């Protein structure tokens, strides 16, 4: 019984640390648990009334749930390592009866206090290997807190870049650009800058896939709402006579294709063409066909 609990606790800790590693530090792999939580909340928000309000909460709430699951699971895993050795391998402060404080709740209390780096509290390990295990849990707790802060601080600039691109496309849409307007050096600069911004957003989706589940309430700052206009710009530019404009249009089309591939591989799984993938992306974010400006 003692070894089975210890093995279960160790397995749970290792599994959760693997999830944290793949979610926060691995650029090409992402934790399956975090993806499951975020996707479930996103899908659930689509079935609730007040789509915009529910979807707007799904991303932030999903991150809170993921971090909470990580912390709780790691605490439970370490508690399973402590519990079989209580009370013999622990020292208790005056006023606590060891035999009355040797249950699973007490083991979880010790684990939570240690994980939160609040100190060892009124129950502390005395056996050699447990005295090493407790500080290791405190280090994991500190690393988890630091990683969570880093995750949040990295995600919000990615969201800002995506919304900035969407707002820029919205501004360009309102200029009613034509082939003649784009058939110039200024048109080349516009197309090149939009293509470059699309490349940055594509990398952001790879590095921070959780950003996909953040809903943009303002249509002007919603990439799902505005992305179709980037394809329209490429179409206008393809008819231009300026050779550099044609090249810039091809680069913009390539950037759109790469973004569509990333969206499809990570989130949509339509296996369609660029146009159908971008339409599916818009539909996933509550934009109905034919409603784009």
């Amino acid at each position: 019984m003692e070894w089975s609990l210890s093995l279960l606790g160790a397995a749970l800790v290792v599994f959760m640390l693997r999830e944290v590693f793949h979610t926060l530090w691995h650029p090409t792999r992402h934790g399956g648990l975090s993806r499951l939580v975020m996707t479930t909340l996103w899908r659930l928000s689509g079935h609730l009334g007040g789509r915009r309000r529910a979807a707007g909460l799904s991303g932030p709430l999903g991150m809170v749930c993921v971090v909470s699951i990580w912390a709780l699971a790691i605490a439970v895993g370490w508690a399973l390592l402590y519990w079989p050795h209580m009370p013999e391998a622990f020292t208790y402060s005056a006023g606590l009866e060891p035999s009355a404080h040797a249950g699973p709740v007490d083991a979880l209390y010790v684990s939570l206090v240690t994980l939160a780096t609040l100190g060892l509290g009124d129950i502390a390990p005395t056996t050699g290997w447990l005295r090493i295990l407790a500080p290791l849990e405190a280090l994991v707790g500190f690393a988890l807190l630091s990683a969570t802060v880093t995750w949040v601080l990295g995600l919000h600039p990615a969201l800002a870049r995506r919304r900035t691109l969407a707002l820029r496309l919205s501004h360009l849409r309102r200029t009613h650009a034509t082939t003649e307007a784009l058939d110039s050096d200024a048109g080349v600069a516009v197309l090149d800058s939009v293509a470059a911004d699309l490349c940055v957003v594509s990398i952001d989706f790879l590095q921070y896939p959780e950003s996909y589940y953040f809903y943009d309430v303002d249509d002007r700052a919603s990439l799902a709402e505005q992305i179709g206009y980037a394809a329209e710009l490429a179409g206008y530019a393809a008819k231009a006579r300026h050779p550099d404009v044609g090249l810039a249009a091809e680069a913009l089309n390539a950037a759109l294709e790469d973004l569509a591939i990333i969206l499809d591989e990570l989130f949509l799984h339509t296996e369609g063409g660029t146009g159908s993938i971008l339409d599916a992306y818009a539909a996933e974010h509550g934009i109905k066909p034919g409603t784009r400006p």
Side-chain angles (χ1 to χ4, degrees):
M1 181 66 175
E2 174 181 324
W3 283 107
S4 61
L5 287 175
S6 297
L7 287 174
L8 178 61
L12 184 58
V13 169
V14 170
F15 176 75
M16 283 298 121
L17 291 179
R18 177 185 178 277
E19 285 288 316
V20 174
F21 175 78
H22 282 308
T23 300
L24 302 184
W25 292 306
H26 202 301
T28 58
R29 293 281 303 278
H30 300 282
L33 179 63
S34 60
R35 178 66 59 83
L36 177 63
V37 171
M38 300 290 289
T39 303
T40 300
L41 289 174
W42 177 256
R43 300 279 185 251
L44 182 62
S45 71
H47 297 289
L48 296 177
R51 161 73 183 176
R52 286 176 176 252
R53 178 176 296 182
L57 289 174
S58 63
L61 183 60
M63 291 186 69
V64 171
C65 289
V66 168
V67 174
S68 299
I69 290 172
W70 287 343
L72 181 59
I74 290 173
V76 170
W78 245 282
L80 291 174
L81 293 173
Y82 296 144
W83 183 26
H85 307 282
M86 297 180 73
E88 296 85 4
F90 287 78
T91 182
Y92 292 77
S93 63
L96 289 181
E97 179 62 37
S99 60
H101 295 278
V105 174
D106 301 285
L108 183 59
Y109 161 74
V110 173
S111 180
L112 285 171
V113 169
T114 306
L115 184 66
T117 66
L118 298 176
L120 294 174
D122 47 5
I123 306 175
T126 56
T127 302
W129 70 275
L130 286 175
R131 294 178 66 187
I132 299 298
L133 196 63
L136 286 177
E137 184 181 10
L139 286 174
V140 169
F142 179 76
L144 181 61
L145 175 61
S146 301
T148 301
V149 172
T150 303
W151 191 24
V152 173
L153 293 179
L155 179 65
H156 282 280
L159 291 172
R161 288 188 289 269
R162 186 179 80 191
R163 291 163 180 164
T164 299
L165 172 59
L167 191 59
R168 181 143 190 257
L169 289 172
S170 175
H171 293 163
L172 289 171
R173 185 193 294 272
R174 279 179 268 169
T175 66
H176 304 289
T178 61
T179 298
E180 291 74 18
L182 293 172
D183 197 4
S184 63
D185 291 339
V188 174
V190 168
L191 295 171
D192 283 343
S193 65
V194 171
D197 290 343
L198 281 170
C199 292
V200 172
V201 170
S202 296
I203 296 301
D204 284 338
F205 276 125
L206 285 173
Q207 295 284 356
Y208 301 100
E210 299 79 16
S211 65
Y212 179 87
Y213 304 106
F214 279 72
Y215 184 81
D216 300 308
V217 177
D218 188 343
D219 291 341
R220 295 172 302 173
S222 169
L223 186 61
E225 177 82 30
Q226 304 296 337
I227 190 65
Y229 187 66
E232 292 181 30
L233 278 177
Y236 296 149
K239 302 173 185 177
R241 290 176 294 178
H242 194 300
D244 292 340
V245 173
L247 180 61
E250 291 180 10
L252 179 55
N253 276 322
L256 283 168
E257 182 179 350
D258 287 343
L259 175 62
I261 290 172
I262 291 170
L263 290 173
D264 203 47
E265 288 181 350
L266 293 180
F267 313 107
L268 299 170
H269 312 294
T270 67
E271 299 183 0
T274 300
S276 62
I277 293 171
L278 295 180
D279 287 341
Y281 172 47
E284 273 266 299
H285 286 254
I287 299 164
K288 297 179 181 179
T291 62
R292 289 176 178 171

